[in-house]
Amino acid sequence: MLSAQSDVQVDTPEVRVTEWRLAPGSATGRHIHEMDYVIVPVTAGEMTIVAPSGERSKAQLATGKSYFRKAGVEHDVLNETSSEIVFLEVELKP
């Protein structure tokens, strides 16, 4: 699987903002979120979320419809569609 592309746009003592681009057939790689975070979809799309157990679920993204998650989430995020997925990840530093 291809690697997703990330671009840190802002990194201050309070917050880090990263743009993620997942081309068709790409993945972020398994990771644990160390901080609370907000996802801001730039494009609509469907991501496949893979839990550490291997359980797979689908997450629908709607352009501009943000969502929040607490620190500690562990997963891999895959794009198994034919369209690029783009979102901003806003991490809230303690």
Side-chain angles (χ1 to χ4, degrees):
M1 188 151 265
L2 302 171
S3 292
Q5 300 299 308
S6 64
D7 176 32
V8 176
Q9 297 180 345
V10 176
D11 196 357
T12 70
E14 299 82 19
V15 67
R16 179 170 47 221
V17 179
T18 305
E19 178 188 65
W20 285 93
R21 292 184 168 272
L22 283 77
S26 69
T28 60
R30 186 172 166 180
H31 58 280
I32 299 173
H33 288 269
E34 303 287 332
M35 296 174 264
D36 293 350
Y37 65 100
V38 175
I39 297 296
V40 182
V42 175
T43 61
E46 179 182 82
M47 300 186 302
T48 301
I49 309 299
V50 182
S53 66
E55 180 181 341
R56 298 164 67 91
S57 61
K58 301 291 183 175
Q60 300 298 320
L61 297 180
T63 303
K65 295 288 186 180
S66 303
Y67 62 89
F68 170 81
R69 297 286 184 265
K70 296 291 289 176
V73 172
E74 182 177 0
H75 58 207
D76 192 0
V77 178
L78 292 66
N79 180 357
E80 297 180 320
T81 73
S82 60
S83 299
E84 181 181 53
I85 295 170
V86 181
F87 59 88
L88 299 176
E89 176 185 63
V90 181
E91 295 172 287
L92 308 172
K93 295 182 179 181

